Amino acid sequence: MPEPAHLRPVDADPPAGSEPSRGPGWDGITRPVTRGGTGRFLTDVIVEIGACDRDRVDQAIETARSSGVTPEQVLVDQGAITQEALSRAIAERFGLDHLDLTAFSVDMGAANLINNAAAKRYDAVPVAFLGDRGLLVAMADPSNVLAVDDIALMTGYEVRAAVASREDIGALVSRLTRLDDVVASATFAQDEEDASGAAEIVDLRESADDAPVIKLVNQIVAQAVEQGASDIHLSPDGTQLRVRFRVDGVLTETTTVPRRMVNGVISRVKIMSDLDIAERRVPQDGRVGLTIDGHAVDLRVVTLPSVHGESIVMRILDKSSVVMELDKLGMAEGELQRFRRAYQQAYGAVLVTGPTGSGKSTSLYAALGEVNTPDKNIITIEDPVEYQLTGITQVQVNPKAGLSFATGLRSMMRADPDVIMVGEIRDRETAQIAVESALTGHLVLSTLHTNDAPTAITRLIEMGIEPFLVASALDCIVAQRLARTLCSHCKRRVILSGEVLRDSGFPARADVEGYEPVGCARCGNTGYKGRIGLYEVMAMSEEIRDLTIARASADRIAETAVAQGMRRLREDGLEKVRLGRTSISEVARVTGTN
């Protein structure tokens, strides 16, 4: 039986082997060993091309039988193979060319033949014209006949498939509609409206959905979500509006909005979040729920009056992108066991410390997920409730109504809780109630703003909590930071001098093999993609309790904890450098210098 039209090869060139030749003149195309494909299992092809060994693949097949996902997805989730290797195997299985879209010269005229929505829906993008009637389409799944037929109908061309990774296709789709282009088109449309005497932007609530400013704001939010940003900053500087995204903890400028559109953009965001657009003198905060690419996203909006006008920060709460499983947060086995022992007890207090944005809430949510069983009554009080968890009663702090952490916590104690989570211990009253709750048979989880684990003890004592209460209530303190992970496609191996590491405050006795960032198209030329946690976990021992009662300094407590096996943040960071997960400069950035 002949192959379907879209699975026929683009040309009849002889195979170039299973490995691409990535020389200076490489065109980004890897041709299959066998044209036309065979009826092989994809897992067999993964082994044949050398992407993974047979034993690991067989283990993934066994895991897949009970987990409800495919063996190849298990391999990707476990880090045994990359998305790029998986796409290479798919191409080889079907006997199609594999495209590395970071090296392949994409014809943007072909790419723009279909809209972003269709490209995302099918994980497919046209990348080149083939003669007068042919169109080469990069696809993550070339067996999707419906996608091929739809793209052929949309474009009017005869489709020929090639394979590219979902990662590369997603990056290309995000480049199709540049935010700068949207700003330019919105500015042009706004000029036309101004020339025709249209109503002011303040009346956007009555405007059509395709108004240029609405399009611009929607595109800003959509692009931020696509890039995995945690925050959007809209900052006027007197001449224009700077748009910045915080991606992997680092703030970068994305585009600028001309001065004549600034009020319109600010008003549109305030309308979306149900804020008073006439009030520009005091801070406001609101919330808005959006649906982007089929999944729900919440925006927490804060306005701040500045000398150049109102600035806005939007915190993006995308539950689908948050990892809430402790095993996947990057905690080493020893630290993970100490943490688990603490929150699996029936009572006591477990604290997670670190600066704002260090992932404290995520760690507590992950812990709650493991203790969340029908026989436990779990109540949380948070400001705000970032993610709604099934089976847990979550209370939102409301200072205007008199509901603070302290008053809410006091009321929760009368609601027969087994586990209590306090979003943050900010004052003496909240700390006192939390400590007393831990001593009266409740498991209390909370966060505290300190730089390391030992300092949390002295911080509670400084708040006015008696040392003997702190010593009796606390079971475990976790300090954490979030460091960016190196891009797996472009990181470069280096030797780090032990002397330089020691001078920089790292506990290295000899030279260390590690990696440094380089930058490529897949990571936006930053050298990093994603984040991983750095942790120090201090379990309360009898010696540390004695030091707490004696009001010993944080340094003295730290020395004892280290002697008992606690690994400091920088030690954990250095280990992740050895494993190739992050770079030494990134660890130094997030942990600070001595």
Side-chain angles (χ1 to χ4, degrees), residues 467 470-475 540-550:
V470 175
S472 301
L474 283 184
D475 279 322
M540 294 292 286
S541 64
E542 288 303 319
E543 292 83 359
I544 293 176
R545 287 192 168 94
D546 291 341
L547 290 172
T548 301
I549 294 172

Side-chain angles (χ1 to χ4, degrees), residues 178-194:
R178 301 296 301 176
L179 198 49
D180 291 337
D181 298 336
V182 176
V183 172
S185 62
T187 304
F188 177 74
Q190 187 60 39
D191 289 342
E192 289 190 331
E193 285 188 7
D194 293 342

Side-chain angles (χ1 to χ4, degrees), residues 44-78:
D44 292 336
V45 180
I46 289 173
V47 175
E48 288 173 16
I49 66 173
C52 192
D53 61 75
R54 171 56 67 183
D55 289 342
R56 191 73 179 269
V57 169
D58 289 343
Q59 291 173 10
I61 293 172
E62 288 299 319
T63 302
R65 285 174 180 163
S66 58
S67 63
V69 297
T70 61
E72 52 271 18
Q73 188 58 52
V74 171
L75 290 170
V76 172
D77 293 342
Q78 293 176 344

Side-chain angles (χ1 to χ4, degrees), residues 75-246:
L75 290 170
V76 172
D77 293 342
Q78 293 176 344
I81 62 172
T82 62
Q83 287 284 358
E84 183 76 4
L86 175 59
S87 64
R88 282 269 297 106
I90 292 172
E92 189 62 44
R93 182 191 185 195
F94 287 106
L96 298 173
D97 290 339
H98 176 265
L99 305 181
D100 181 342
L101 296 183
T102 63
F104 183 82
S105 180
V106 176
D107 187 328
M108 297 308 286
N112 283 296
L113 286 175
I114 66 173
N115 57 41
N116 278 22
K120 291 173 184 174
R121 183 164 66 250
Y122 298 131
D123 273 330
V125 184
V127 292
F129 292 103
L130 301 173
D132 295 332
R133 301 303 313 151
L135 187 67
L136 181 63
V137 178
M139 306 181 68
D141 180 12
S143 65
N144 188 344
V145 180
L146 290 177
V148 172
D149 290 344
D150 283 357
I151 293 172
L153 286 172
M154 282 187 283
T155 62
Y157 284 85
E158 182 182 344
V159 171
R160 292 287 182 270
V163 181
S165 69
R166 292 183 193 276
E167 197 175 33
D168 282 3
I169 291 172
L172 177 57
V173 170
S174 69
R175 296 203 309 267
L176 294 182
T177 305
R178 301 296 301 176
L179 198 49
D180 291 337
D181 298 336
V182 176
V183 172
S185 62
T187 304
F188 177 74
Q190 187 60 39
D191 289 342
E192 289 190 331
E193 285 188 7
D194 293 342
S196 62
E200 288 189 12
I201 299 300
V202 171
D203 298 325
L204 278 175
R205 193 187 296 275
E206 308 298 330
S207 301
D209 286 340
D210 59 352
V213 171
I214 294 178
K215 275 187 176 181
L216 174 57
V217 172
N218 290 348
Q219 183 63 28
I220 289 173
V221 174
Q223 183 161 326
V225 172
E226 282 179 1
Q227 293 184 9
S230 60
D231 300 88
I232 304 170
H233 290 244
L234 306 178
S235 310
D237 61 8
T239 59
Q240 57 191 3
L241 184 73
R242 299 168 65 206
V243 179
R244 293 179 293 170
F245 295 163
R246 186 177 296 279

Side-chain angles (χ1 to χ4, degrees), residues 441-506:
H442 303 90
L443 177 64
V444 178
L445 307 177
S446 188
T447 70
L448 195 64
H449 283 283
T450 63
N451 288 329
D452 58 15
T455 308
I457 293 175
T458 56
R459 175 80 177 114
L460 288 174
I461 294 173
E462 287 168 1
M463 281 184 174
I465 310 302
E466 290 294 336
F468 72 90
L469 292 177
V470 175
S472 301
L474 283 184
D475 279 322
C476 182
I477 305 170
V478 179
Q480 67 179 74
R481 300 289 190 275
L482 289 178
R484 291 180 293 173
T485 52
L486 287 163
C487 173
S488 60
H489 297 283
C490 64
K491 63 183 180 182
R492 181 168 54 208
R493 191 179 180 192
V494 293
I495 299 294
L496 304 169
S497 165
E499 183 180 353
V500 172
L501 289 174
R502 288 190 295 275
D503 291 343
S504 301
F506 288 92

